Amino acid sequence: MKNKLLYIFIFLSAFGFSQSSKVQVEVDTTNIRIGEQFQYKISVDGTENVIIPKLENLKGLEVVDTLKIDTIKNKLVQKYILTGFDSGAFYIPQQQIFIKNQAYLTDSLLINVATVAIDTTKIKKFPIKGIKGEPYQFDDFKNYIYWGIAILILLGLLIYYFIFKKKKQTEEEVTIPLLPPYEEAIQKLQELDEKLLWQNNHIKKYYSELTGIVRGYIERELNIPALESTTDELIDVIRDFSDVKSIETNKETIQKLKELLQESDLVKFAKSKPMSHEIEQDRKDAKDVIDNLKPKKEVVEDEVE
């Protein structure tokens, strides 16, 4: 019986020695103050097929950081940074390490976490301060800023509408008084000459504007709807006015007007192309018609008492 117990003791001792020789743990200190950090290190003999599980089952202690595994002289070294925030004595429990699919247990270590002693006699006392308000931030004023911007935009729109837009509308409403019919017609003839339409082969447009000037003069000066009348209708009306002596003109002027309007109709509707000297003559005839086609002047006799 004694021999059997001796064998069992020898076996357990050899197993424990084998365990401790393969895996070692150590800490740089076993006594810390609350919040202080210390290093916990696991060293494993061998580098092949080694599995070091995550550090778990800590009570009263916390893992701050897990450092990178180092290989030193055919050993694997895993380091951890630990700390504790509660006072007391806490164990780092045994950790299971696998080497070539065989499990090994580390030793458990006791860590004492002490509170920091405070000497209240040396603490300088300060009066109780009132509640300090938080500094102002943009969010505290953003609603007022948005309202301010909106009001400024509204005021800008009102100023623009009642000052600038009203002024612009007033300026647009100011109409330039029309020139007398004769002066207006002469001015338009000069502007037509400056365009050089027929010289640039725009003959149809030239005759359209030339006869438009003559018709516009007749309509304003004689109160005849010349712009809407055909050539024959207009000539008939003017002859009737001439016969009753309601206008001042002559047969030669009426004939020039008729020929000018007929030439214009041929250019516009029959694609006629008069020669340069004919166009220049029609321009002169238009001026003669305007000069010699006038409303009859009424003679007012003063009554003699």
Side-chain angles (χ1 to χ4, degrees):
M1 184 66 180
K2 291 182 179 179
N3 292 334
K4 289 182 179 180
L5 292 174
L6 179 62
Y7 291 147
I8 292 171
F9 177 76
I10 293 171
F11 174 78
L12 291 175
S13 299
F15 179 77
F17 178 78
S18 176
Q19 289 270 340
S20 60
S21 63
K22 281 287 187 180
V23 180
Q24 298 89 32
V25 292
E26 60 180 298
V27 291
D28 56 0
T29 181
T30 58
N31 297 286
I32 65 170
R33 288 177 295 182
I34 290 177
E36 283 187 338
Q37 298 179 357
F38 66 96
Q39 187 181 91
Y40 173 70
K41 181 171 71 174
I42 300 176
S43 301
V44 180
D45 290 337
T47 59
E48 296 181 358
N49 299 325
V50 177
I51 299 175
I52 301 177
K54 184 178 179 181
L55 195 61
E56 295 178 341
N57 300 324
L58 297 177
K59 294 182 179 179
L61 300 174
E62 295 182 12
V63 177
V64 177
D65 192 12
T66 301
L67 304 181
K68 186 177 179 180
I69 296 178
D70 292 331
T71 303
I72 303 174
K73 295 181 180 181
N74 201 32
K75 284 187 177 184
L76 289 182
V77 178
Q78 175 68 72
K79 296 179 181 179
Y80 303 90
I81 304 298
L82 305 181
T83 188
F85 295 103
D86 293 322
S87 61
F90 304 101
Y91 276 100
I92 301 175
Q94 291 180 314
Q95 303 297 314
Q96 193 174 46
I97 311 299
F98 292 91
I99 304 173
K100 295 181 179 180
N101 296 325
Q102 184 175 351
Y104 294 86
L105 293 176
T106 66
D107 294 332
S108 61
L109 297 176
L110 180 65
I111 305 298
N112 294 304
V113 181
T115 58
V116 179
I118 300 175
D119 187 356
T120 57
T121 60
K122 296 182 179 180
I123 297 177
K124 186 178 179 179
K125 297 182 180 180
F126 297 94
I128 298 174
K129 295 183 178 180
I131 298 174
K132 185 178 180 181
E134 294 183 358
Y136 290 109
Q137 299 180 355
F138 174 75
D139 290 342
D140 298 327
F141 301 98
K142 65 180 182 180
N143 290 333
Y144 300 102
I145 293 173
Y146 294 153
W147 277 108
I149 292 172
I151 292 171
L152 289 175
I153 292 174
L154 180 60
L155 289 175
L157 292 174
L158 291 174
I159 292 171
Y160 171 77
Y161 179 79
F162 286 105
I163 296 179
F164 296 103
K165 193 171 181 180
K166 286 289 186 180
K167 183 178 179 181
K168 186 177 179 181
Q169 289 177 350
T170 304
E171 291 175 353
E172 290 176 351
E173 291 173 359
V174 174
T175 57
I176 300 174
L178 294 174
L179 292 172
Y182 179 79
E183 294 180 13
E184 181 186 41
I186 297 301
Q187 179 177 316
K188 287 184 177 180
L189 286 175
Q190 293 174 352
E191 293 173 355
L192 178 61
D193 293 339
E194 293 173 358
K195 292 181 181 179
L196 302 176
L197 292 177
W198 70 267
Q199 293 89 338
N200 291 292
N201 204 29
H202 298 297
I203 299 174
K204 182 177 179 180
K205 187 175 182 181
Y206 176 79
Y207 272 92
S208 178
E209 292 193 20
L210 181 64
T211 54
I213 293 170
V214 176
R215 286 175 177 269
Y217 167 76
I218 294 173
E219 184 160 313
R220 285 194 63 200
E221 189 69 40
L222 304 181
N223 294 321
I224 296 174
L227 294 173
E228 299 176 0
S229 302
T230 63
T231 298
D232 293 337
E233 291 173 347
L234 180 57
I235 297 301
D236 289 341
V237 172
I238 291 177
R239 282 176 177 166
D240 291 340
F241 276 52
S242 178
D243 292 340
V244 298
K245 306 296 182 180
S246 61
I247 60 175
E248 293 182 1
T249 186
N250 52 56
K251 292 181 179 181
E252 183 181 358
T253 300
I254 296 174
Q255 185 61 30
K256 285 183 180 181
L257 174 61
K258 181 178 179 181
E259 292 174 357
L260 174 62
L261 296 178
Q262 288 176 343
E263 183 67 34
S264 177
D265 291 339
L266 290 174
V267 171
K268 290 188 289 185
F269 303 114
K271 297 182 180 180
S272 175
K273 292 186 178 180
M275 303 297 290
S276 298
H277 67 276
E278 293 175 333
I279 297 174
E280 292 175 352
Q281 185 59 49
D282 288 335
R283 167 64 174 82
K284 293 178 182 178
D285 291 343
K287 174 67 166 52
D288 291 340
V289 170
I290 293 172
D291 289 338
N292 297 293
L293 196 59
K294 306 287 183 181
K296 189 174 181 62
K297 295 180 181 179
E298 295 182 0
V299 179
V300 179
E301 297 181 354
D302 293 332
E303 294 183 358
V304 181
E305 294 181 358

